Each structure stands twice: as structure tokens, then as C-alpha cells.
Amino acid sequence: MRTHDPVWYTSIGWSVLAHVLVIVGSTFFIARGCSMADPIPGGGGGGGGGGADGAVSKKVAVVKLMKQAKQPPRRKKHFGRSNSAISLYFPSIDDSHIATDVAEVTENQYVANPADADAANAGGFAGEGSGGFGSGPGSGGGFGGGSADGMLHFRRLQYDDPGWNDGMDNESRADLNFLEELHRVSHLKTADHSEAIPVATLRSFKKGLAPPFVYFTGTGPAINLSSEDVRILRQYVLDGGMIFADAGSEEWGRAFRSFIAKVFPERELLDISNDDPIFSQPFRFPGGAPPLWHHDGSRARGMKFDGRWGVFYYPGNLNDAWKTGHGGQPPAIVTQAMRLGMNVVWYSAVHYLEATKQFRK
């Protein structure tokens, strides 16, 4: 018997205390659920796309695609304005599955550095330095309010849908191809690996250090996420994040519109005007989102929260042009698809930092 042994009592006491601390500590961290961080690259930034030599180009490049359809489109519709040089052909939603109907003649413009354009400066986010994406004075890629060890990731939502991972496999590499091009053009630090997360993971990020955007795509006719997932997605956007949705099929386009109405029943998807900052920085798209497949119409739409787009919805398979092989798309369309993606990422990072700055003080 050791009932009167002080060493034995001391050992038992320390053992009990250690177990209590483990239980209490684990409960605290599980309940808090905030152990992950995804800091955005900090620094200055020219607000424009610097080339490999760091110089900022102000040249306006006009991209013109001439594509011969293999068969006459069933219903042609031409849209244009008398004061615009842009001439677009948009197939109807019913024809969206016909690859040859993407465009007969497409003209769009992009500006490598619109930092001195009225539309860019009006938002107050264009940088003053040179060579790279970002906000704030300085040179190179980076965002004022970001972190020195920050890095941009491309996180996509994993859920029960046949096409949730479309184009992101090791062969197609849509996400990695996009990140590599973003790094080349912007000088920003970008992840070198593919990342998929379930919706529930979003609640594990610290406030102010969550991903500025999450990519959401699919091909199925319904989006079946739990009520808890809906709540988490809603809070993620209200806390400053962005849902970057990309319709992988006509059916998924309808499914997304129905789903996002459940997440935000008090809001509606709005047409994003051609002169919106998301189409102006760092590259300018005077005609709005460039044409691709148009699974769900020809216009990009979104939902606004305190003046920023918290939901950006592209109507048709933007990532198809990011894949290795680019889905058979010509270089002009690939360039536009890459640069529109960069605009969305840039916009989400700048506005996330602004919306969450109180959490990083």
C-alpha cells in the first residue's frame, strides 16, 4: 500500500492534471474551430500585370478571333453598340453544348495596367508602384495589408457532384496552369499544389486569414449540400470571402442559381455591368466577361455585400480554357480566360483585406 507515500500522491496528481488539461484544451480548440490561416501576399504592387522584366505595360492589345464553325449555327444573334468596336456572337443556351458555336467573330480588349484609368482609380485600389499585381505603393507583387509570408492558393469546394473536380486532375491541371500563369504575370507568390476542401473546412480558418475566394463548379442537375454547409458558406461570404462559381454545364448553372438563392434568400444574382471594377483591374474587358461556352447565358452575374461582390458567377466553364490543351480553344480566348480569372482573384484579395482589416490589427 502507498496510501501514505507522498511521491505516489504527487505522481497521481500530475497525471490527473495532465489529463484534465488535454481534455479542456482539446475541447477549447475544437469548439473554437479556428486553427488554419491563409494569409494573402503582402507588399506593394503596381496594380497591373508586370512582364517578366518587371515593366508595366500600358499598351492596349486588341484580341480578335476568327473561328469557322463546322456547321451553320441554328440561331444567330449578333449584339453590338454603334459606339463600340466589339462584335460578339452569343449562341442561345440551348446551343451551348455545340463547341463550334462558341463564336464566329470575337473582339475584346484588355489593358495590362489600367492604374491610370478613371475606372481603376475610382475604387482607390490601384497601386502606385510597378511590375506586379497588388494594392498600395511599392514594386513587385503584393497587397497592402497582406503578410510577408502570404501566398495565393486556389481552393475548390469538394462535394457530391460528378463534375466538382472538373479539369483539376493531374493531367488537365486547370487550377495549377492558372496559378502558374498568375505567378508569371503578377509576380505574386502562388501555391504549387492542387487543393480541394469540403465546405466545413472554411470554419477552421481564422477571421481575416481565410481564403479570399473559393472556386465552385460542377456538372450535375442539383447541388445537395447540408443546411450546415449552407450556413458555413453564408458566413464565409459575410465575413469577406468570395464564392467564385463557374458553370460546368447548363444543368449546373440552373442548380447553382437555385442553390445560391437558398444561401442568400434576401439577395438576387445581378448582372455585372461592363464597366464594373472587376472587369477593369488589372485587365480591362470593355465588353464584360469574355465569351466561352455560355452554358447559362452570356453575362457574368453576382451578389453584392457592402459594396463588394461576394459571389461571382461565370455562366460557362471558364476553367475549360485553363486546362492543358485548353479545351481546344484558340490562344486569344485562352488569354482572355486566364486574365478574367486573374481579375477575379485580384478583386477578391483586395476586398477581403479591406473587409477584414479589423481582425488583423
Side-chain angles (χ1 to χ4, degrees):
M1 296 289 293
R2 296 184 176 181
T3 55
H4 299 292
D5 186 347
V7 175
W8 183 81
Y9 277 114
T10 301
S11 298
I12 290 296
W14 280 111
S15 178
V16 171
L17 179 60
H19 282 79
V20 169
L21 289 175
V22 168
I23 293 171
V24 172
S26 299
T27 302
F28 172 77
F29 284 109
I30 291 173
R32 191 178 179 190
C34 294
S35 58
M36 298 175 67
D38 187 14
I40 293 170
D53 60 356
V56 176
S57 171
K58 296 186 180 181
K59 180 180 179 180
V60 177
V62 178
V63 178
K64 185 174 183 179
L65 166 66
M66 299 294 293
K67 186 170 183 179
Q68 180 65 43
K70 294 182 181 179
Q71 61 183 35
R74 289 175 291 180
R75 290 183 293 275
K76 290 186 178 181
K77 291 185 179 179
H78 293 272
F79 297 84
R81 299 194 307 270
S82 59
N83 60 347
S84 172
I86 303 170
S87 175
L88 300 178
Y89 157 65
F90 295 130
S92 70
I93 294 176
D94 292 337
D95 290 340
S96 61
H97 65 285
I98 301 176
T100 57
D101 287 352
V102 173
E104 285 186 332
V105 179
T106 299
E107 288 187 10
N108 212 330
Q109 300 176 47
Y110 54 85
V111 177
N113 177 24
D116 52 1
D118 292 340
N121 289 331
F125 295 120
E128 300 171 7
S130 63
F133 287 6
S135 61
S139 61
F143 298 86
S147 172
D149 60 351
M151 179 181 295
L152 280 177
H153 298 259
F154 191 100
R155 291 191 170 93
R156 59 198 187 279
L157 295 181
Q158 180 178 355
Y159 67 108
D160 185 17
D161 183 274
W164 75 269
N165 200 38
D166 180 44
M168 313 297 174
D169 56 88
N170 291 333
E171 293 183 1
S172 297
R173 300 182 81 254
D175 52 345
L176 293 180
N177 289 338
F178 173 76
L179 283 175
E180 289 171 2
E181 182 67 6
L182 174 62
H183 173 72
R184 185 189 70 81
V185 173
S186 70
H187 303 170
L188 290 166
K189 295 178 183 177
T190 58
D192 60 359
H193 56 282
S194 189
E195 298 173 85
I197 60 172
V199 173
T201 302
L202 290 173
R203 65 183 172 189
S204 298
F205 287 93
K206 297 177 181 178
K207 280 196 172 184
L209 292 172
F213 75 94
V214 288
Y215 182 79
F216 192 26
T217 191
T219 57
I223 297 175
N224 298 312
L225 289 172
S226 69
S227 57
E228 179 63 10
D229 285 340
V230 168
R231 186 194 68 79
I232 292 170
L233 272 178
R234 177 182 174 88
Q235 194 59 50
Y236 164 73
V237 173
L238 294 177
D239 285 344
M242 173 193 277
I243 296 173
F244 182 176
D246 186 10
S249 72
E250 184 178 339
E251 292 79 9
W252 194 87
R254 291 194 297 266
F256 175 77
R257 285 187 277 112
S258 176
F259 172 75
I260 204 67
K262 295 177 182 177
V263 181
F264 299 105
E266 75 281 12
R267 287 178 167 83
E268 62 178 331
L269 280 172
L270 304 173
D271 183 278
I272 302 178
S273 64
N274 293 352
D275 60 353
D276 191 272
I278 205 166
F279 295 137
S280 303
Q281 301 170 270
F283 301 100
R284 188 183 303 166
F285 292 86
L292 203 54
W293 298 119
H294 299 316
H295 291 316
D296 191 27
S298 60
R299 300 291 303 179
R301 283 162 277 178
M303 286 184 176
K304 273 199 167 181
F305 302 81
D306 296 326
R308 66 175 178 87
W309 296 109
V311 174
F312 179 87
Y313 172 52
Y314 184 80
N317 242 21
L318 193 63
N319 85 74
D320 198 52
W322 300 345
K323 298 175 185 176
T324 300
H326 309 300
Q329 297 292 341
I333 288 293
V334 174
T335 296
Q336 291 186 52
M338 288 286 188
R339 290 179 174 179
L340 178 62
M342 293 180 199
N343 274 28
V344 175
V345 170
W346 185 90
Y347 182 98
S348 70
V350 168
H351 285 271
Y352 182 80
L353 288 169
E354 177 65 21
T356 62
K357 59 185 177 183
Q358 69 271 25
F359 298 115
R360 294 186 303 278
K361 291 182 179 179

